[in-house]
Amino acid sequence: RADQRAGRAGRTGPGHCYRMYTPAVFGNMMSEFTEPEICNTPVDSLILLMKSMGIQNISNFPFPTPPNEQALVAAMKHLRRLRALDINYRATDLGKELATYPLLPRYSRMLHISRQPFQEGNILGYMVVIVSCLSNLTDIFTHVDLPDDDEEEDMKEDEEEAEEEEGNEKSKEEREEERKNRRYLKKLKDDERRKRKEMFEAHKKIVLKYSNPGSDLMTYLEVTRHYIYAKNQRQFCQENFLIEKNMREVAMLRSQLMRHLAGSDEYALPEEDEVGATAEEVEHSLPQEMQETGPKKKKGPDFGVKDKPNMSQEALLRKVMAAGLIDQVARRAGPDDCKKHKVRYYDDCIVMKAMYMDVLTDEPVWVHPNSSVSHTQPCPEFVCYSLLQAMKRPRKKNGKKPIMKTYMKGVTIVQKQWLWELGIQDTLAI
């Protein structure tokens, strides 16, 4: 890649390429070629597609660059847990259906289940939004830091040091001028700290406004619902501390999935949707008879999300999420688990303080502090998550070294009964 960049230096005329590293680093630490993408990405979708095409012996397939053998084994186990492969690792009818979606198999399973009719009502439109968020987002809100108290102490120390440095050599006028400059700079810093505090409080209110104490994914749904129907989506992102690029990508994937589920390219979405169309434009372009006029056609799927899901629909959505995340479940750690890992056990506390154990790996995990579930009380027995993130957390006491913790993001509270109905006991046996 470094050689490729060097070639651009003289593309339109004579030029020079300056490399900000030594020849030793270039020759000894940098690989000659970039590692193929197939070695760094999950191969679940690839394997499912090949299995659905009748290619059974994946390990002997002549890949230009074969994926890691461990990644292949892990992917096939994952597909078995999703019921996409049978006990002989052949594609099931469900697996062949999931292979047609432009998504990871776990998200495809969520959509597949959501297409079924339920007594609680239609949830397909809501699940399309949730899956779009899961496929694109790691964070939905911009990060705003609260000013550190140490900053104020540093300012005072700098001021004291500056006063000590003022020697008798300087005239009275020069010293007075320096004091004026320091007061002016202090005022600027105080104003900046005040604005940051105000922004932090405003950010906190916005997050609380949309937060769902039972699920991060329901929080994503609530925010995206309002974004889709906003008249000025850019302004909506600015006012609600949202990452505009991420929201735009979610809207684009939602449009793509609606087209796929509608089952025909005949009903193309308007071009404006590629940069974020209004919900009315999107839904009027679909095959469903949402339009009151025009020739009668077969009724298609309902993707409307204008109304907030009711309690029954929310419970059903969370159960469907658990079906897709069946191998990413954690249970509340008991006193013995905490003792084993030298962690304090809290009998009654908010979720953020409680330790959980990953059901599949039996490793300790925690709910991320920024999760909308983090302050829920009492702690639920089971949660599912969309991804894990390892982070160093500083210790406030005794100046000890920070400790490494694994945090769950995209957390949803699930019921034990749901997991048993979904066959988690069989999942753990695979």
Side-chain angles (χ1 to χ4, degrees):
R1 182 166 291 185
D3 287 335
Q4 179 194 21
R5 293 287 181 263
R8 297 186 176 183
R11 179 169 293 178
T12 57
H16 298 278
C17 177
Y18 295 96
R19 290 175 172 165
M20 308 304 288
Y21 43 81
T22 64
V25 170
F26 179 75
N28 301 327
M29 298 181 67
M30 294 187 179
S31 57
E32 187 175 358
F33 301 105
T34 304
E35 192 173 12
E37 196 66 20
I38 195 173
C39 299
N40 296 318
T41 55
V43 292
D44 312 10
S45 299
L46 173 64
I47 290 176
L48 183 57
L49 179 61
M50 294 175 71
K51 290 284 187 180
S52 65
M53 293 169 64
I55 303 171
Q56 303 303 333
N57 197 345
I58 304 291
S59 58
N60 291 334
F61 187 82
F63 290 102
T65 302
N68 187 290
E69 188 69 28
Q70 291 180 338
L72 289 176
V73 173
M76 285 195 279
K77 284 186 176 181
H78 168 63
L79 292 171
R80 272 204 62 199
R81 294 182 189 116
L82 294 177
R83 309 290 188 267
L85 300 181
D86 61 19
I87 193 170
N88 297 315
Y89 292 96
R90 294 180 179 273
T92 60
D93 291 338
L94 172 62
K96 291 175 182 177
E97 176 70 23
L98 299 186
T100 64
Y101 290 85
L103 297 164
L104 291 175
R106 68 168 74 253
Y107 303 150
S108 301
R109 189 184 185 196
M110 292 182 192
L111 279 186
H112 179 74
I113 296 173
S114 301
R115 297 182 73 171
Q116 302 172 19
F118 292 102
Q119 185 179 358
E120 292 84 352
N122 176 50
I123 61 167
L124 181 58
Y126 300 120
M127 189 53 68
V128 168
V129 173
I130 290 170
V131 166
S132 300
C133 292
L134 280 169
S135 301
N136 282 284
L137 298 180
T138 51
D139 288 302
I140 197 167
F141 293 103
T142 56
H143 187 66
V144 178
D145 284 321
L146 183 66
D148 196 347
D149 293 335
D150 293 337
E151 289 182 17
E152 195 168 349
E153 293 177 9
D154 292 340
M155 286 168 58
K156 289 179 181 178
E157 289 177 6
D158 292 342
E159 193 171 337
E160 290 171 2
E161 287 176 6
E163 287 178 359
E164 289 175 4
E165 288 175 2
E166 285 183 356
N168 295 325
E169 303 167 0
K170 295 182 180 179
S171 64
K172 185 178 179 181
E173 291 78 9
E174 287 175 330
R175 290 199 298 272
E176 186 61 33
E177 185 65 26
E178 287 186 357
R179 289 193 190 98
K180 282 183 181 179
N181 290 337
R182 283 201 301 274
R183 282 197 294 269
Y184 177 70
L185 290 173
K186 184 177 182 301
K187 184 178 180 301
L188 288 179
K189 289 181 179 179
D190 287 342
D191 289 343
E192 183 184 349
R193 282 174 56 79
R194 179 179 52 78
K195 288 178 182 177
R196 283 172 60 188
K197 281 184 178 179
E198 289 174 357
M199 186 176 291
F200 179 82
E201 292 301 324
H203 179 273
K204 189 176 177 181
K205 286 180 182 178
I206 289 293
V207 172
L208 287 173
K209 174 184 173 182
Y210 293 111
S211 285
N212 184 307
S215 172
D216 287 328
L217 307 186
M218 294 304 296
T219 300
Y220 292 169
L221 170 62
E222 185 66 11
V223 172
T224 310
R225 277 196 329 104
H226 285 81
Y227 171 82
I228 290 169
Y229 291 96
K231 291 183 178 179
N232 188 328
Q233 293 176 339
R234 174 168 292 182
Q235 183 180 347
F236 178 81
C237 289
Q238 292 171 349
E239 291 175 352
N240 291 276
F241 300 94
L242 301 174
I243 303 171
E244 185 183 356
K245 177 178 176 291
N246 289 358
M247 299 305 298
R248 190 164 59 245
E249 288 176 353
V250 166
M252 289 170 63
L253 180 56
R254 174 178 178 259
S255 301
Q256 182 185 354
L257 292 176
M258 287 192 296
R259 259 197 304 264
H260 177 86
L261 292 167
S264 174
D265 289 331
E266 179 183 349
Y267 306 93
L269 296 180
E271 292 181 5
E272 291 81 5
D273 187 65
E274 298 306 321
V275 291
T278 63
E280 287 77 7
E281 289 173 323
V282 170
E283 290 170 8
H284 277 287
S285 68
L286 296 169
Q288 184 194 3
E289 286 298 317
M290 293 179 187
Q291 306 170 38
E292 298 297 331
T293 59
K296 281 261 181 181
K297 294 175 184 175
K298 185 180 177 181
K299 188 173 181 181
D302 181 8
F303 300 108
V305 291
K306 205 162 192 175
D307 296 326
K308 186 175 180 178
N310 57 41
M311 296 291 287
S312 299
Q313 287 175 317
E314 181 178 332
L316 182 57
L317 284 166
R318 283 162 52 189
K319 187 175 180 179
V320 174
M321 293 174 206
L325 302 170
I326 192 67
D327 57 343
Q328 295 184 175
V329 175
R331 62 173 175 82
R332 173 80 192 277
D336 293 338
D337 295 313
C338 293
K339 185 178 180 181
K340 178 182 175 182
H341 293 278
K342 299 178 181 179
V343 174
R344 181 179 174 184
Y345 175 77
Y346 296 92
D347 188 33
D348 184 25
C349 65
I350 59 175
V351 172
M352 185 172 62
K353 290 185 177 181
M355 186 178 84
Y356 281 78
M357 301 297 294
D358 191 298
V359 170
L360 202 62
T361 64
D362 205 34
E363 293 293 325
V365 289
W366 283 262
V367 172
H368 196 279
N370 292 340
S371 168
S372 56
V373 184
S374 62
H375 286 80
T376 301
Q377 194 174 6
C379 296
E381 187 179 357
F382 289 95
V383 298
C384 60
Y385 59 88
S386 61
L387 62 92
L388 294 175
Q389 183 180 39
M391 289 174 58
K392 284 185 178 180
R393 300 295 293 179
R395 296 191 183 183
K396 296 181 180 179
K397 296 180 180 179
N398 304 326
K400 292 182 179 179
K401 291 182 179 180
I403 55 173
M404 183 68 77
K405 283 186 174 183
T406 303
Y407 288 96
M408 298 179 285
K409 301 188 79 172
V411 178
T412 295
I413 296 173
V414 294
Q415 295 180 15
K416 184 178 181 179
Q417 178 188 348
W418 299 347
L419 298 175
W420 255 248
E421 289 174 6
L422 293 167
I424 192 169
Q425 63 274 20
D426 298 329
T427 298
L428 297 177
I430 295 173

